[in-house]
Amino acid sequence: MAKNSFLLLFLLFLVLVLSLFSGILSQYELEELTWLDDKDDEISMFHSQHSAMRKCDFSSGKWVFDQSYPLYDSSCPYLSSAVTCTKNGRPDSDYEKWRWKPHGCEIPRFNALEFLGRMRKKRIVLVGDSIMRNQWESLVCLVQSVIPMARKTVTYVGPTMAFHAMDFETTIEFCWAPFLVELKKGPENKRILHLDVIEENAKYWRGADVLVFDSAHWWTHSDKYSSWDLIMEGNSFYRNMHPMVAYEKGLMTWAKWVDLNLDPRKTRVLFRSMSPRHNRENGWKCFNQREPLEFFSHPHVPEPLLVLKEVLRRMSFPVSFQDITTMTALRRDGHPSVYSKFVSQTGKQHLGDYKSDCSHWCLPGVPDTWNEMLNVML
């Protein structure tokens, strides 16, 4: 009888312990689900932000003064002397401290290690004219400071120059091709622009993981400074083709090459819109400008931009369009002007004797913003 009573008490104790343990497990499971819900919220927030960035119109916004800029200084060893405006004697430096703020979103501050981590074992090629060279120098200077001196180098092959981040196995190249299609010397040393020939340039683009193109300035040079003597299409020569007709034909040759030769699963392609010049008044429109314009009373859409958008629209390959034209047009303060060469104290008394460059950009400066935008788009 006593034995049966002991057994009954033991069973009652066991049921009580199991019920308590079951309650603890239930509470633990509840906390676990709550934690998972929290993480899901964070993931959802990340995807929402990422989606918002993809939908954000980077081309619409304003320039805001930011003392935390620039992201590097003019001592970067990869800068051309023509864009190191501070070294060349430019007395002001506020042009280095303006950050682009799109309406409705923020462009994240460029993080070199994060960028190189994502671009590990990748080949990035920037193709175009001297303005693209401007952007290449900016991008190299944005990343190079986190790489030890012995683990970075620059090599030159044909029309290309390539910065190598060895530990990341990342290459950032610039390829000179201002028309994208080919400009060749013909009889009597005539410069012949071939609107339907591209392979001599394009062979340097093959195998890239990221391709960024620009082409506009050389198509729009005035008659006095025309970049070609003759235009050739097929077997026909032309002397007086409208520049925008020629531009569209050249872009269509490029578009056909991209459509036929690149795989969107392997190569990301972006086309940056034209960088505006402030060359009116014989190149002195940008001289002594110290801050950006706030807005345009009569916004102007350049004709090359309309042509480019139409060509991209007709392509089957998904090319990302990077529109920097309007935001950059506000920055007449960002050009080298007379400070594309060293100006001594004596020279500053005779600035009218210097040529004013209102096409290229001081570095650090405006192209850094293009690359912060490029970083987001990638």
Side-chain angles (χ1 to χ4, degrees), residues 123 127 158-160 175-177 179-184 193-208 211 213 249-250 252-262:
R123 179 176 167 231
V127 182
T160 71
C175 181
W176 171 257
F179 295 106
L180 303 181
V181 293
E182 296 175 27
L183 181 69
K184 297 180 178 181
L193 181 60
H194 295 259
L195 296 182
D196 52 1
V197 181
I198 199 170
E199 187 55 42
E200 276 300 309
N201 291 333
K203 67 183 181 183
Y204 295 100
W205 316 336
R206 295 181 183 275
L211 282 164
F213 293 95
K249 289 176 179 290
M252 287 303 298
T253 298
W254 165 83
K256 185 184 297 185
W257 184 89
V258 170
D259 282 340
L260 293 177
N261 291 276
L262 298 182

Side-chain angles (χ1 to χ4, degrees), residues 37-53:
D37 285 343
D38 287 343
K39 299 304 282 188
D40 285 345
D41 286 344
E42 290 179 13
I43 292 170
S44 297
M45 187 182 300
F46 171 81
H47 283 297
S48 296
Q49 290 173 345
H50 182 68
S51 177
M53 291 297 281

Side-chain angles (χ1 to χ4, degrees), residues 23-57:
I24 293 170
L25 282 178
S26 298
Q27 183 64 30
Y28 174 79
E29 289 168 353
L30 183 62
E31 291 174 357
E32 178 81 355
L33 289 171
T34 303
W35 180 82
L36 286 173
D37 285 343
D38 287 343
K39 299 304 282 188
D40 285 345
D41 286 344
E42 290 179 13
I43 292 170
S44 297
M45 187 182 300
F46 171 81
H47 283 297
S48 296
Q49 290 173 345
H50 182 68
S51 177
M53 291 297 281
R54 288 176 65 87
K55 293 177 182 176
C56 183
D57 179 5

Side-chain angles (χ1 to χ4, degrees), residues 182-184 190-197 219 223 226-247 249-250 253:
E182 296 175 27
L183 181 69
K184 297 180 178 181
K190 296 283 188 183
R191 299 164 301 166
I192 303 176
L193 181 60
H194 295 259
L195 296 182
D196 52 1
V197 181
W219 297 92
D223 292 340
S226 178
S227 305
W228 62 80
D229 299 307
L230 293 170
I231 286 176
M232 187 173 183
E233 185 180 24
N235 295 318
S236 301
F237 287 93
Y238 304 90
R239 288 187 180 275
N240 299 307
M241 185 181 291
H242 190 284
M244 287 301 96
V245 173
Y247 182 50
K249 289 176 179 290
T253 298

Side-chain angles (χ1 to χ4, degrees), residues 15-264:
V15 168
L16 179 63
V17 169
L18 287 173
S19 66
L20 288 171
F21 187 61
S22 174
I24 293 170
L25 282 178
S26 298
Q27 183 64 30
Y28 174 79
E29 289 168 353
L30 183 62
E31 291 174 357
E32 178 81 355
L33 289 171
T34 303
W35 180 82
L36 286 173
D37 285 343
D38 287 343
K39 299 304 282 188
D40 285 345
D41 286 344
E42 290 179 13
I43 292 170
S44 297
M45 187 182 300
F46 171 81
H47 283 297
S48 296
Q49 290 173 345
H50 182 68
S51 177
M53 291 297 281
R54 288 176 65 87
K55 293 177 182 176
C56 183
D57 179 5
F58 294 130
S59 67
S60 176
K62 63 180 180 178
W63 290 97
V64 295
F65 194 75
D66 190 332
Q67 287 282 8
S68 69
Y69 279 71
L71 300 173
Y72 59 91
D73 60 41
S74 59
S75 66
C76 174
Y78 303 99
L79 292 177
S80 304
S81 60
V83 300
T84 55
C85 303
T86 301
K87 280 187 175 181
N88 291 341
R90 181 168 173 167
D92 62 307
S93 61
D94 282 357
Y95 66 90
E96 299 177 347
K97 299 180 183 297
W98 292 94
R99 173 175 58 83
W100 181 248
K101 170 70 174 69
H103 298 309
C105 66
E106 292 278 350
I107 297 177
R109 188 181 179 90
F110 191 92
N111 183 310
L113 285 175
E114 188 269 341
F115 176 82
L116 288 168
R118 283 191 291 112
M119 296 296 113
R120 185 182 295 275
K121 296 185 177 181
K122 287 184 167 49
R123 179 176 167 231
I124 307 161
V125 184
L126 280 64
V127 182
D129 54 23
S130 57
I131 308 297
M132 188 60 90
R133 163 76 182 265
N134 223 172
Q135 184 174 355
W136 175 82
E137 291 183 9
S138 161
L139 184 56
V140 169
C141 287
L142 284 168
V143 303
Q144 67 88 26
S145 63
V146 300
I147 306 167
M149 184 60 70
R151 306 303 298 162
K152 55 191 173 187
T153 188
V154 173
T155 59
Y156 302 86
V157 178
T160 71
M161 56 181 69
F163 173 83
H164 303 270
M166 299 177 193
D167 293 331
F168 293 89
E169 299 179 64
T170 300
T171 304
I172 304 173
E173 300 178 30
F174 165 69
C175 181
W176 171 257
F179 295 106
L180 303 181
V181 293
E182 296 175 27
L183 181 69
K184 297 180 178 181
K185 286 290 180 71
E188 301 178 6
N189 224 24
K190 296 283 188 183
R191 299 164 301 166
I192 303 176
L193 181 60
H194 295 259
L195 296 182
D196 52 1
V197 181
I198 199 170
E199 187 55 42
E200 276 300 309
N201 291 333
K203 67 183 181 183
Y204 295 100
W205 316 336
R206 295 181 183 275
D209 298 285
V210 177
L211 282 164
V212 185
F213 293 95
D214 95 313
S215 183
H217 279 222
W218 281 51
W219 297 92
T220 58
H221 288 169
S222 64
D223 292 340
K224 183 180 177 182
Y225 301 103
S226 178
S227 305
W228 62 80
D229 299 307
L230 293 170
I231 286 176
M232 187 173 183
E233 185 180 24
N235 295 318
S236 301
F237 287 93
Y238 304 90
R239 288 187 180 275
N240 299 307
M241 185 181 291
H242 190 284
M244 287 301 96
V245 173
Y247 182 50
E248 182 177 15
K249 289 176 179 290
L251 282 181
M252 287 303 298
T253 298
W254 165 83
K256 185 184 297 185
W257 184 89
V258 170
D259 282 340
L260 293 177
N261 291 276
L262 298 182
D263 183 346

